[in-house]
């Protein structure tokens, strides 16, 4: 069973599908820094580094599944929510162009939860109708990483699975919730000193405010536009691309050595990435944080992919 990935990022969707038993035939990504990380970790997958608008789908091999985490910022409540008025929002129609050209048996899409409510539901209806008009039957569900992936992160995402065959669609069921057995303490070792780049220093402008608020050593603190709030239920807050785009947006913890940001390794762990996945030394720490926030929760994708491959077989 074969898969191709559009807007591949650093390959989180591919990891989930590969772990479920799929073969990844090709992927497309235009961000050069993401491509550096992708090639560093997916050496066996042919990656096309290009603007998807300039790629002819007829020049590529056919696949059973097209997967796409198309740009979510235009639909996110954390952004301006300009939707299809944002050029990135219109990139969804590139997914449709590839689907219509390749005619895969299944289309897999992942995006922010707010996609369903954006523009009073009109955005989602547009996406739904575009898939239906292309000959597909739709199933979708909003799933949280902690409930469906056994990862202690508050990360709600909508997953859309579209089938060419109505029988496949009728048989398909999304996975059930599972108990959360992994805690933040399984990921964060507060007794181990990390690289000093992660710690707040006394001369940092933000230090006084951080020291006053970040006091609970058993929790993680969400930082958003200089607002610092403790995350409830001892969970990790949603990791976002803004971690690498704006100063001091990375979630905070206090350990035995001071107050610090989540490390890159911890961010990857909170997205369920394997331990052998890491960033090349050719990108900056800001690039890596952005990529951590933009990617997917791998175990959730894997569980959905397992349901898909069961039907396809």
């Amino acid at each position: 069973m074969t898969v191709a990935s559009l807007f591949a990022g650093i390959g989180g969707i591919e990891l989930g599908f590969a772990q479920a038993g799929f073969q990844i035939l090709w992927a497309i990504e235009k961000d050069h820094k993401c491509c550096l990380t992708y090639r560093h970790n997916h050496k066996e997958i042919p990656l096309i580094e290009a603007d998807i608008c300039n790629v002819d789908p007829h020049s590529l091999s056919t696949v059973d599944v097209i997967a796409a985490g198309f740009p979510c910022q235009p639909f996110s409540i954390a952004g301006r929510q300009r939707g299809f008025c944002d050029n990135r929002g219109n990139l969804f129609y590139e997914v449709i162009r590839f689907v219509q050209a390749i005619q895969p048996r299944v289309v897999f899409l992942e995006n922010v939860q707010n996609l369903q409510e954006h523009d009073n539901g009109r955005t989602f209806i547009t996406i739904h109708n575009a898939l239906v008009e292309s000959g597909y039957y739709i199933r979708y569900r909003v799933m949280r990483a902690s409930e469906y992936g056994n990862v202690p992160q508050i990360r709600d995402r909508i997953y859309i699975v579209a089938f060419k065959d109505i029988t496949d669609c009728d048989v398909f069921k999304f996975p059930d919730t599972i108990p959360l057995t992994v805690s933040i303490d399984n990921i964060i070792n507060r007794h181990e000193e990390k690289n000093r780049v992660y710690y707040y220093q006394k001369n940092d402008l933000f230090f006084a405010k951080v020291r006053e608020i970040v006091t609970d050593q058993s929790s993680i603190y969400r930082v958003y536009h200089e607002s610092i709030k403790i995350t409830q239920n001892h969970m990790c807050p949603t990791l976002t691309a803004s971690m690498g785009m704006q100063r001091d947006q990375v979630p905070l913890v206090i350990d035995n050595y001071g107050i610090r940001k989540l490390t890159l390794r911890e961010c990857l762990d909170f997205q369920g990435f394997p331990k052998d996945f890491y960033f090349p030394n050719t990108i900056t720490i800001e690039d890596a944080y952005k990529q951590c926030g933009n990617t997917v929760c791998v175990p959730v994708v894997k569980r959905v992919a397992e349901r898909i491959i069961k039907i396809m077989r």
Side-chain angles (χ1 to χ4, degrees):
M1 301 299 172
T2 56
V3 180
S5 177
L6 313 179
F7 311 103
I10 60 175
I13 289 178
E14 288 89 309
L15 280 171
F17 271 84
Q19 290 172 6
F22 284 89
Q23 179 186 4
I24 317 302
L25 289 196
W26 48 267
I28 301 174
E29 173 57 51
K30 78 169 186 175
D31 185 297
H32 178 62
K33 299 299 179 62
C34 285
C35 290
L36 290 173
T37 301
Y38 195 104
R39 292 190 176 104
H40 184 70
N41 292 280
H42 307 280
K43 297 179 176 62
E44 74 289 356
I45 300 176
L47 176 66
I48 302 165
E49 183 174 346
D51 185 331
I52 193 172
C53 300
N54 299 325
V55 178
D56 179 9
H58 295 98
S59 67
L60 301 170
S61 57
T62 59
V63 289
D64 297 305
V65 180
I66 283 183
F70 59 100
C72 63
Q73 292 86 350
F75 312 108
S76 172
I77 57 175
R80 297 182 180 179
Q81 300 194 61
R82 297 185 66 234
F84 291 126
C85 295
D86 187 316
N87 287 334
R88 295 170 299 178
N90 280 322
L91 289 174
F92 165 73
Y93 292 108
E94 290 301 308
V95 177
I96 295 299
R97 182 169 69 92
F98 272 73
V99 167
Q100 291 177 347
I102 293 175
Q103 295 289 308
R105 186 171 168 184
V106 179
V107 180
F108 172 90
L109 305 176
E110 184 266 1
N111 212 281
V112 291
Q113 176 188 11
N114 194 56
L115 184 72
Q116 207 171 348
E117 288 82 30
H118 182 267
D119 194 18
N120 295 317
R122 286 187 284 268
T123 294
F124 188 76
I125 290 173
T126 299
I127 290 171
H128 180 279
N129 289 349
L131 288 166
V132 170
E133 289 165 5
S134 299
Y136 288 82
Y137 303 90
I138 317 299
R139 289 287 181 268
Y140 60 91
R141 178 178 290 181
V142 173
M143 295 190 283
R144 176 168 287 192
S146 60
E147 296 175 354
Y148 290 88
N150 195 23
V151 175
Q153 182 191 173
I154 303 171
R155 188 180 192 86
D156 298 317
R157 289 293 185 268
I158 189 167
Y159 296 85
I160 303 170
V161 185
F163 297 89
K164 194 71 175 170
D165 188 293
I166 191 171
T167 302
D168 290 345
C169 187
D170 288 341
V171 173
F172 175 79
K173 302 292 182 185
F174 278 100
D176 296 325
T177 58
I178 55 176
L180 179 63
T181 60
V182 177
S183 74
I184 61 174
D185 292 326
N186 295 129
I187 294 175
I188 299 171
N189 185 349
R190 300 176 194 266
H191 306 292
E192 178 182 85
E193 186 173 12
K194 303 299 182 181
N195 189 301
R196 295 309 296 175
V197 71
Y198 295 114
Y199 289 89
Y200 276 88
Q201 309 299 327
K202 291 182 178 180
N203 59 345
D204 290 336
L205 294 176
F206 210 29
F207 179 77
K209 186 173 184 179
V210 166
R211 183 175 58 179
E212 178 183 350
I213 298 175
V214 182
T215 58
D216 185 350
Q217 200 171 79
S218 65
S219 298
I220 302 177
Y221 288 77
R222 177 179 181 265
V223 186
Y224 186 68
H225 294 315
E226 297 190 2
S227 170
I228 306 173
K229 294 183 178 180
I230 193 168
T231 306
Q232 300 300 315
N233 302 323
H234 297 288
M235 300 274 276
C236 177
T238 302
L239 301 178
T240 65
S242 65
M243 294 190 302
M245 300 166 64
Q246 302 176 37
R247 188 175 182 272
D248 299 315
Q249 297 291 297
V250 184
L252 302 177
V253 297
I254 181 170
D255 65 17
N256 294 349
Y257 302 92
I259 298 171
R260 64 171 176 82
K261 303 172 182 179
L262 290 180
T263 67
L264 294 176
R265 179 69 260 165
E266 288 165 344
C267 288
L268 288 172
D269 289 344
F270 279 118
Q271 294 283 38
F273 274 67
K275 291 295 184 183
D276 61 353
F277 188 103
Y278 207 62
F279 300 98
N281 58 14
T282 49
I283 68 171
T284 67
I285 190 171
E286 290 79 15
D287 293 329
Y289 272 127
K290 180 180 177 182
Q291 292 171 12
C292 284
N294 264 339
T295 193
V296 299
C297 183
V298 175
V300 179
V301 174
K302 176 189 176 185
R303 294 193 68 214
V304 178
E306 286 174 340
R307 294 299 183 98
I308 294 172
I309 201 169
K310 183 178 181 181
I311 289 173
M312 297 178 74
R313 283 174 172 163

